[in-house]
Amino acid sequence: MICMRICFVTKGTLAEYAEGFSGSKADILCFSFQALGEVSYERELKGETSLFEDVAVLSREEQNVVVCGCFTDARGIRRKSVVVAEKGRILGVSDMLNRIDAGEYRCGAGVKIFDTGAGKIGVIVSEDLYFPRVVETLSVCGAELAICIFEQQEGSLEQVLMRAHAYLYGIPVCVCAYGFAQAADIGGKLRFASPQSPCVYDFEREQEFHLIETRQRGLFRRKKNGF
């Protein structure tokens, strides 16, 4: 089995980490939403801010993958998002897919898997953890690891869901939230949990496949004569 090191930064900003804690030697560096705060696409394009560039620069300096939560603003449309960079290059931004009860943040579109040197990383944005189809889609589409960037946990629900998703869909699931990080393996076991920041977790990347057969009604097709 191949080991992978993940460093979770659950407190402080991206700049504070770069100044005081750089050099983690991790394959993946995860930040929750407090690291960047709000990012305006308009101001980024005008060069007034360089928050996404800061993420790319950190990934270049650390020579790894950086996964960082943020609140994006596209001309007044606000979303919960996660930006992913690897070795100095922005790979993309993934938005939260599900908006609950007309919440403040709008929904995005499309589940994203990032093919990196550390493996195929599926991103779960915040409350998307509550929707099993998101993790199921990541698993079916070949993700080797699912990382959920969350705001702040209010109880044990997120841990229960994390463990259930890892077991049901066969991929390790990690949650990086404000003040707490945790991870579950494909057996549904809690393998790591820590309130420290930064904190490091080494896990063994594993995949297991099974043949599942079911019977169901429908999909009726008439037999064709003459063949």
Side-chain angles (χ1 to χ4, degrees), residues 170-205:
I171 55 174
V173 180
C174 303
V175 176
C176 180
Y178 178 75
F180 200 77
Q182 53 190 336
D185 66 13
I186 62 174
K189 295 180 180 178
L190 181 66
R191 288 298 187 186
F192 173 81
S194 176
Q196 296 182 356
S197 180
C199 54
V200 175
Y201 169 54
D202 294 314
F203 82 95
E204 295 180 337
R205 187 164 51 191

Side-chain angles (χ1 to χ4, degrees), residues 62-112:
E62 297 277 308
Q63 283 295 292
N64 62 8
V65 179
V66 175
V67 180
C68 186
C70 57
F71 305 100
T72 53
D73 185 342
R75 293 185 176 273
I77 299 175
R78 303 182 71 226
R79 294 185 175 95
K80 292 182 182 180
S81 306
V82 172
V83 57
V84 180
E86 181 180 23
K87 297 181 180 179
R89 184 168 63 96
I90 296 292
L91 300 184
V93 178
S94 185
D95 299 322
M96 186 173 71
L97 300 179
N98 299 281
R99 183 186 188 192
I100 303 174
D101 293 335
E104 176 183 358
Y105 298 96
R106 303 286 291 274
C107 58
V111 176
K112 291 186 179 180

Side-chain angles (χ1 to χ4, degrees), residues 7-186:
C7 178
F8 299 98
V9 183
T10 60
K11 293 180 181 178
T13 66
L14 192 83
E16 289 171 344
Y17 173 85
E19 291 176 3
F21 297 100
S22 59
S24 64
K25 296 182 179 180
D27 299 295
I28 303 172
L29 191 55
C30 295
F31 294 84
S32 188
F33 288 93
Q34 84 288 337
L36 284 186
E38 186 159 317
V39 179
S40 166
Y41 282 119
E42 186 174 3
R43 296 186 66 194
E44 287 281 297
L45 291 172
K46 288 180 178 180
E48 297 175 1
T49 60
S50 58
L51 296 174
F52 282 174
E53 182 182 348
D54 292 343
V55 175
V57 168
L58 180 60
S59 72
R60 183 187 64 203
E61 293 176 349
E62 297 277 308
Q63 283 295 292
N64 62 8
V65 179
V66 175
V67 180
C68 186
C70 57
F71 305 100
T72 53
D73 185 342
R75 293 185 176 273
I77 299 175
R78 303 182 71 226
R79 294 185 175 95
K80 292 182 182 180
S81 306
V82 172
V83 57
V84 180
E86 181 180 23
K87 297 181 180 179
R89 184 168 63 96
I90 296 292
L91 300 184
V93 178
S94 185
D95 299 322
M96 186 173 71
L97 300 179
N98 299 281
R99 183 186 188 192
I100 303 174
D101 293 335
E104 176 183 358
Y105 298 96
R106 303 286 291 274
C107 58
V111 176
K112 291 186 179 180
I113 296 175
F114 298 93
D115 195 352
T116 73
K120 294 182 179 179
I121 302 172
V123 173
I124 307 168
V125 185
S126 198
E127 284 89 348
D128 280 346
L129 184 66
Y130 301 150
F131 296 84
R133 284 189 177 181
V134 173
V135 188
E136 181 182 17
T137 302
L138 294 175
S139 177
V140 169
C141 293
E144 298 171 306
L145 169 70
I147 296 178
C148 176
I149 304 299
F150 208 81
E151 282 186 87
Q152 188 166 5
Q153 299 177 180
E154 298 181 358
S156 60
L157 176 60
E158 290 76 25
Q159 185 179 113
V160 171
L161 290 172
M162 174 189 72
R163 294 175 62 185
H165 293 333
Y167 174 76
L168 290 172
Y169 304 117
I171 55 174
V173 180
C174 303
V175 176
C176 180
Y178 178 75
F180 200 77
Q182 53 190 336
D185 66 13
I186 62 174

